[in-house]
Amino acid sequence: MSDLHAVTVLGHDRPGIIAETTAGLARLGLNVEDSTMTLLRGHFAMMLLCRGEVGGDAIESELASLAADGDLDVAVRSVTDRPDPYAAGSSWVLTVHGGDRPGIVSAVVAEVASAGGNITDLTTRLSGDLYLLLAELDLPAGADSDAVAEAITRAGGEVGVTATLRPAEADEL
Amino acid sequence: MSPADWTEQELGVEGRVLPVLTAPDPVLSRPGEEVDPTDPATVQLAADLVATMRVSPGCVGLAAQQVGVAAQVFCVDVSEHPKARTHHGTFVLCNTEVVQASRNQKAREGCMSVPDFTGDVKRATRLVVRGRLPGTGEEVELETDAFEARALLHEIDHTHGLLFIDRVADAHAIHKRQTYL
């Protein structure tokens, strides 16, 4: 059994969700190694990776009170450590913006997938009619980034949005 | 003539206040054509951009795309802005190209055409650009820094069909604007 657990908490937002979740994990001696949390239109969404010699059932039981009133869903699953297969590749930032309509994300990210690219971070925003997508992605070593960028721009154009791919810049200090 | 000595009086026409378009209006993503800076239509556009910038609170620059024209014309005036160091007052440039850009720094930008968001964008803080003044068509070179450099690069991007959201640093570099001027 892996000692690494993925905990997801989803549902109606209210104060104290993170405090209650992490308190439960701490009581079990679990160490939070990675986490992300955001509000999606006011809906709470959090994922945690925590490590410890505790069974998933015990974690679910410990966090059961969070979900007691039916406003939150808590799920626990065992995950394994995996090496990063894209370490030798290159990192890119993708921006997509245009009028909102169904299918924008799928049209553009299909081009990333077909190039063997892997999206590592994704944020979308909607304000009025403006739909905005920002993603960070890795392309495999040897990928033809110009061709990928052209394919992304073309795919965006077909669904009426502007899509640009550019290198993720890092300052070497 | 230096852009610092230029005023919109040189244009000899009165500017009209035009509506400012917001994304996703497609003209904002359309690269601008080069213009003839002596063409009366360009001169009128220059005057309109200045007039519209003047009446828009907090506006330090406006490009042709923002008033619905895909052309390489923009105006800038950062003279009242607290982040400005060097500034050249109010000026309009046509067909502007970047000659030198260095010393990038990241800062948060907003735009009248993207009213609900701000974004973290890395831009040069030392800048030399070359463009033409509307009316006479005289070629001018302008050296600047800090906030005026950022404003110029933001507007030059507009004239090439790029918004600041096309340049943000990463997936979390866009922020919901809390208040808009």
Side-chain angles (χ1 to χ4, degrees):
Chain A
M1 182 187 76
S2 167
D3 65 348
L4 191 62
H5 309 277
V7 177
T8 59
V9 182
L10 301 170
H12 293 294
D13 189 36
R14 61 173 168 79
I17 300 172
I18 300 173
E20 289 174 45
T21 307
T22 53
L25 299 175
R27 280 193 293 274
L28 294 171
L30 289 158
N31 186 41
V32 176
E33 293 194 349
D34 216 345
S35 64
T36 184
M37 175 259 144
T38 192
L39 292 179
L40 298 173
R41 302 237 148 178
H43 298 278
F44 183 90
M46 178 168 70
M47 291 173 285
L48 298 163
L49 279 184
C50 54
R51 193 182 296 276
E53 298 293 336
V54 182
D57 290 348
I59 301 172
E60 283 189 353
S61 171
E62 184 66 38
L63 300 179
S65 62
L66 264 173
D69 63 4
D71 278 348
L72 285 174
D73 288 325
V74 180
V76 181
R77 63 172 295 175
S78 180
V79 293
T80 53
D81 290 296
R82 288 188 177 175
D84 177 6
Y86 289 87
S90 54
S91 298
W92 301 80
V93 179
L94 168 67
T95 300
V96 180
H97 58 90
D100 189 31
R101 53 163 280 181
I104 294 173
V105 179
S106 64
V108 176
V109 303
E111 298 298 336
V112 177
S114 70
N118 192 40
I119 292 173
T120 57
D121 211 339
L122 176 80
T123 304
T124 63
R125 304 268 198 166
L126 177 63
S127 184
D129 191 35
L130 174 63
Y131 186 81
L132 177 58
L133 177 154
L134 290 158
E136 287 167 54
L137 58 97
D138 294 335
L139 291 177
D144 182 347
S145 57
D146 288 343
V148 177
E150 279 174 29
I152 284 171
T153 300
R154 189 170 55 246
E158 285 169 5
V159 288
V161 297
T162 302
T164 50
L165 185 72
R166 59 201 187 284
E169 283 185 36
D171 294 321
E172 302 295 336
L173 300 172
Chain B
M1 176 184 286
S2 162
D5 300 324
W6 186 92
T7 71
E8 66 266 38
Q9 308 305 324
E10 310 272 340
L11 297 171
V13 292
E14 191 157 338
R16 303 162 299 184
V17 174
L18 301 176
V20 175
L21 305 177
T22 57
D25 195 302
V27 72
L28 293 165
S29 295
R30 201 169 296 153
E33 301 282 338
E34 282 201 7
V35 296
D36 173 357
T38 64
D39 185 328
T42 305
V43 173
Q44 182 65 56
L45 174 62
D48 294 348
L49 288 171
V50 173
T52 306
M53 175 176 70
R54 287 259 161 78
V55 300
S56 305
C59 183
V60 294
L62 201 63
Q65 273 79 351
Q66 294 178 276
V67 296
V69 183
Q72 292 185 34
V73 185
F74 65 83
C75 66
V76 159
D77 183 356
V78 302
S79 56
E80 300 295 320
H81 199 281
K83 285 187 180 171
R85 195 175 304 154
T86 302
H87 73 78
H88 294 78
T90 304
F91 58 93
V92 180
L93 287 180
C94 305
N95 309 334
T96 309
E97 56 182 325
V98 174
V99 178
Q100 277 179 17
S102 61
R103 302 202 189 183
N104 284 343
Q105 280 183 14
K106 194 160 75 177
R108 195 167 287 191
E109 287 183 17
C111 178
M112 284 177 74
S113 294
V114 189
D116 295 331
F117 299 109
T118 61
D120 302 323
V121 184
K122 203 182 242 189
R123 307 249 194 216
T125 61
R126 295 284 179 91
L127 185 70
V128 180
V129 300
R130 186 183 301 131
R132 290 185 181 276
L133 294 172
T136 62
E138 182 186 345
E139 184 177 278
V140 292
E141 204 164 271
L142 181 152
E143 183 174 350
T144 192
D145 56 27
F147 192 69
E148 192 176 58
R150 178 169 294 273
L152 277 161
L153 289 166
H154 180 112
E155 301 309 330
I156 291 169
D157 268 358
H158 270 305
T159 66
H160 294 145
L162 292 170
L163 296 167
F164 76 86
I165 50 181
D166 291 303
R167 294 226 185 254
V168 292
D170 60 65
H172 299 282
I174 286 278
H175 311 278
K176 190 85 179 160
R177 192 191 273 263
Q178 299 298 320
T179 55
Y180 188 63
L181 288 167

